[in-house]
Amino acid sequence: LTALQALLSALRGLGETQDLVLVDQASAPVLTFTLEGLSVDVTVNQMGSVRDTLLFRYALRGERAALAHALRLLKLWLKRRQIPGMKQGGFPTLVWVRMAVRFYQEQQSELARGRGAHDWLRRVLAWALQGLPTGGAPLTIHGEQAESNSGRLAAGVPPGTLLFFASEISALLSTGSGTLEEEFDAVEPHRNLCRVGRWGNQLAIFYVQELLQSKVILCRVQGLLGGPESDRRQCVCEACARVAENEAVKFVSRRTKAWTVVAERVDPQRLRIRAALRGAGIQKRRSGPGGPASNDQPKDQESCEPPLLLQPMHLVSLVDENA
């Protein structure tokens, strides 16, 4: 970490790189930046990538084509659903790949018996779901030394993000088989980012502890603010790549505790009632102190509670109010 911090200072002094970020909350610290359009990741004294390459070559021998296709399908699901990766505060892609390879080694006969890759992926994720609430899905690949400490790759992911992973897998498992577009309904690139700045009263779900009891709460979010500039990361989606740097979406890791999410708690029951009335074409009327009710007056407040000060680590997911 010290070496990466020194390299970070040196690169800042040169001023020739973009998106310079030190990810020190991952299992292995990594310095990421863009140089002349090329995305670069730098680690120091980390032999894990070499080890994993050798292990995957070993695991992929024999029925390589079937497993390789299934892994491509897994990565497609991660991409289309915008599942948070390491930079966003979630699992590195390597964790999902390791879970899939481990399942393959235990259940490879399923592919041999002709099960489709889609069905196999559902079985992988259903198996992984059992360990996600605690982040404890098995990651050790057969043939790997027990002391490799592969479990550290999944460490540090906040419970709210683990809950988001579980909800995404459950949503996939609840859908019927169909085309990729039907099964892997694509979401917009910024959907699952913890965005810096105003959120415009966006509805979101958070996982918090209140009086030693864990709760899932619904909130309207005013925005995310207050943390160090060095925590900001720039989105690299196609839309953000086409605009000026100051117009691109900025976000922070879900693991950070240095930023504050300003939100107001919402009563889900009142929200459902309001949505039902709106869907039926009925607008709740309010009577002012000087006259009859009027549809032009502001709507009722959903909550009279004081603002909540949360953290990115509490975020589970955004909510579509019109869904």
Side-chain angles (χ1 to χ4, degrees), residues 28-69:
V30 57
L31 180 65
T32 70
F33 56 90
T34 303
L35 178 63
E36 297 181 352
L38 181 66
S39 179
V40 181
D41 293 350
V42 179
T43 60
V44 177
N45 292 333
Q46 298 292 333
M47 297 300 293
S49 57
V50 176
R51 178 199 62 199
D52 290 330
T53 298
L54 296 175
L55 281 170
F56 289 148
R57 284 181 180 176
Y58 171 78
L60 289 168
R61 75 192 192 286
E63 294 186 52
R64 293 187 179 185
L67 178 56
H69 178 57

Side-chain angles (χ1 to χ4, degrees), residues 141 235 256:
I141 297 173
C235 178
T256 183

Side-chain angles (χ1 to χ4, degrees), residues 193-204 206 219-227 232 250-252 258-264 307-312 315 318:
L193 295 180
C194 198
R195 304 188 312 275
V196 173
R198 296 179 180 273
W199 285 32
N201 287 324
Q202 167 72 52
L203 280 175
F206 293 87
C219 296
R220 286 198 182 277
V221 182
Q222 281 73 58
L224 176 71
L225 49 86
R232 291 176 182 242
K250 306 297 192 301
F251 68 94
V252 299
W259 289 72
T260 300
V261 179
V262 182
E264 291 183 357
L308 293 176
L309 301 181
L310 304 171
Q311 294 176 329
L315 177 64
L318 304 188

